Amino acid sequence: MLGDQSSELSENNGESESPTLRLCANGACMKTTEVEAKLDEGNIQDAESSLREGLSLNSEEARALLGRLEYQRGNVEGALRVFEGIDLQAAIQRLQVSAPPPEKPSTKKKVPREQPQQSASQHAANLVLEAIYLKAKSLQKLGRTTVEKIFQQGIPDAQVDTRLQETVSHAVELLPALWKESGDYQEAISAYRRALLSQWSLDNDSCARVQKDFAVFLLHSGVEASPPSLGSQVEGSYVPRNNLEEAILLLMILLKKFNQGKAKWDPSVIEHLTFGLSLCSQTSVLAKQLEEVMPGVFSRVERWNSLALCYSAAGQTSAAVNLLRKSLHKHEQPDDLVALLLASKLCSEEPSLAGEGAGYAQRAVNNAQGMDEHLKGVGFRMLGLCLGKQAKVPTSDFERSRLQSESLKALDGAIAFEHNNPDLIFELGVQYAEQRNLKAASRYAKEFIDATGGSVLKGWRFLALVLSAQQRFSEAEVVTDAALDETAKWDQGPLLRLKAKLKISQSNPTEAVETYRYLLALVQAQRKSFGPLRTLSQMEEDKVNEFEVWHGLAYLYSSLSHWNDVEVCLKKAGELKQYSASMLHTEGKNQNTLLTTLLTSLCRMWEGRKEFKPALAAFLDGLLLDESSVPCKVAVGALLSERGKEHQPTLPVARSLLSDALRIDPTNRKAWYYLGLVHKYDGRIADATDCFQAASMLEESDPIESFSTIL
């Protein structure tokens, strides 16, 4: 039990079978039998008098000992009655006045006779503080929360000994909890901050517990904390702006203490930090914190898997897959089901990794047995997605057809396990749509809308695209308008872009221009509302960026042969994407795709103006940026095929480029059409007829946007 060593309960192992408890203070001891008897009779005054006479105590000290005795006996109500008789505030004031000032450095020897006086002061302070603490604990146990404010700025070092510091530490930890129980959350926040900033001389473990409790409160309480007092901040130090930042800062400080061995490891700290950093999309920061955790805290496989999750959320797929490869090595944990599913999910996002991902997914299906059998559906789903993505890698027509068939078979197998999973229904519908089975795609699009109650935007977009592929443009526009009515303003970008393209398909260029202008105003307003420092998640949520809008307008004006307007739009788009080697290296493949799109549009402009050389130069620049760009290959092939009427040597180059484009995307109707022209100019009429027929069939099922844009 808490208390000064000179006033603790002791046992006397005499002749009797049960030990006799003694109360000791100021070098004197007395049996508790007489005191307990008087307490049992309710004679608190008599019991107090006995202690004062037997142990040479004042009234507050005697009652503090009596209260502690009652608390130890389990009589919480009796202890509270004793503590209520102590004027704690007056005792605190006397202690603060009588506290000796901190000792100044001196060359003189200390006088031994001052030590008893200081020891007595320590003894009195400990009894009073212990009484305050036990009174608060008694009230807490009885559900009658109260709060005593004591020494708000800390206690002088001269007053502290081991037992007293122990009492102070427990009281400091208890105070915020009492404020929370009483419903005064701002006072609780202030108590936490005072505990961490005031001169309490808390040991590392006590300080760590206060920091963790405060961080958890900030993260999960839902109470918006008032900003910290500027007077308590060191000049130039970082001041948190909100609950989340303050909680993350506290948890990161705690992790640093753990890594330095200054506090005992608490696994819940990393869990709370994961939650906090995930809320603000800073998983790359979390990865760094995990990397700094000392070896031995986590197993290396657990560390690799956690880091892979962090990197995948930060968009660093390659780093995440590399870590999972190590985790799933045959000498580590090759059958870890969660790691297999995560690896297959990441690989399904990249055609070049899809084959590897299919292997992980198949292993996950094989290992989903017993208690984990419910995850077999997830394994089939990942297998289907990987096979579908693998089918897009240039390969033979037979192999492509086989992979597409197996992809649908795997997704159908997943439906058997998760028939109520809306995301699975959506993905199966997209697979059917990409294979131009529009009837099945339409059925799954409607099922997805029904399953989600029409609350998910991509369901309406998918249905509109399927209708446009069926050449039912007016119905697609009705669906788009209905979705716009149910969608918040900031989320309307993809629908407005879709509506503009539907207007173009229905030969309404004027209305299409107006829709694009409204979309441009929306995108610019959205960009300004976030400011210059937007997070990755905010940029991804935009779905439609300003570059795409200017490019769409340029394409529209080019179809109307308004070349001056095309040039203005492309100039605006070019200002948003600069041609620098560092930028291309940093932003990678997606950036190359955008620049290739811009160069393709420039080429079309030069082509429309009958300027062959600038057009060809723009296309070749696009191919240099992305050698697998289907639009660039088709555009160069089209340009060379047109020139083939007069310059026969260009036809073989055009045929090679267009054939390569069709290996990558066999559903590109423009590639089939221009390849037909090449065959026609080269005298191969039968081949030209087959190509024109394929182009005509694809045109009848060609959506106004690629189905892959909604994934």
Side-chain angles (χ1 to χ4, degrees), residues 103 120 145 214 405 410 414 459 486 506 518-519 527 540:
E103 295 183 1
T145 304
F214 188 22
S405 176
E486 301 296 327
Q506 297 177 81
Y518 181 77
L519 174 58
R527 174 168 54 84
E540 288 177 348

Side-chain angles (χ1 to χ4, degrees), residues 138-314:
S138 300
L139 287 166
Q140 186 184 36
K141 287 186 176 183
L142 295 172
R144 294 157 54 190
T145 304
T146 186
V147 179
E148 298 283 354
K149 295 184 179 180
I150 56 171
F151 302 114
Q152 294 191 14
Q153 300 304 318
I155 54 178
D157 291 338
Q159 280 188 255
V160 180
D161 67 1
T162 303
R163 288 287 182 173
L164 178 57
Q165 183 60 59
E166 183 182 348
T167 305
V168 170
S169 298
H170 281 280
V172 168
E173 292 182 49
L174 178 63
L175 183 58
L178 296 177
W179 280 122
K180 287 188 292 184
E181 290 183 16
S182 65
D184 197 333
Y185 299 116
Q186 292 301 327
E187 279 290 349
I189 291 169
S190 298
Y192 275 125
R193 287 174 178 160
R194 284 197 304 270
L196 296 173
L197 296 174
S198 299
Q199 187 183 347
W200 290 115
S201 301
L202 299 179
D203 60 68
N204 286 327
D205 288 333
S206 296
C207 187
R209 287 193 295 269
V210 173
Q211 285 178 310
K212 191 193 88 166
D213 290 346
F214 188 22
V216 171
F217 179 75
L218 291 170
L219 280 176
H220 305 292
S221 67
V223 178
E224 187 60 36
S226 56
S229 172
L230 294 178
S232 62
Q233 305 300 321
V234 179
E235 186 177 354
S237 63
Y238 172 74
V239 180
R241 294 171 295 180
N242 51 50
N243 283 27
L244 187 58
E245 289 187 3
E246 190 168 3
I248 289 173
L249 181 61
L250 287 167
L251 293 170
M252 290 175 72
I253 292 172
L254 262 180
L255 271 185
K256 187 175 181 180
K257 287 183 177 179
F258 294 152
N259 295 335
Q260 294 174 346
K262 294 181 178 179
K264 296 178 182 177
W265 171 255
D266 183 349
S268 66
V269 170
I270 201 70
E271 295 173 3
H272 293 301
L273 184 61
T274 299
F275 174 74
L277 289 172
S278 299
L279 285 179
C280 54
S281 303
Q282 295 296 327
T283 53
S284 58
V285 177
L286 177 60
K288 183 178 179 182
Q289 295 295 318
L290 287 171
E291 289 172 348
E292 292 177 354
V293 173
M294 296 298 291
V297 175
F298 299 117
S299 68
R300 59 183 180 180
V301 172
E302 185 181 1
R303 188 191 296 261
W304 288 336
N305 290 344
S306 299
L307 286 172
L309 274 173
C310 294
Y311 285 127
S312 65

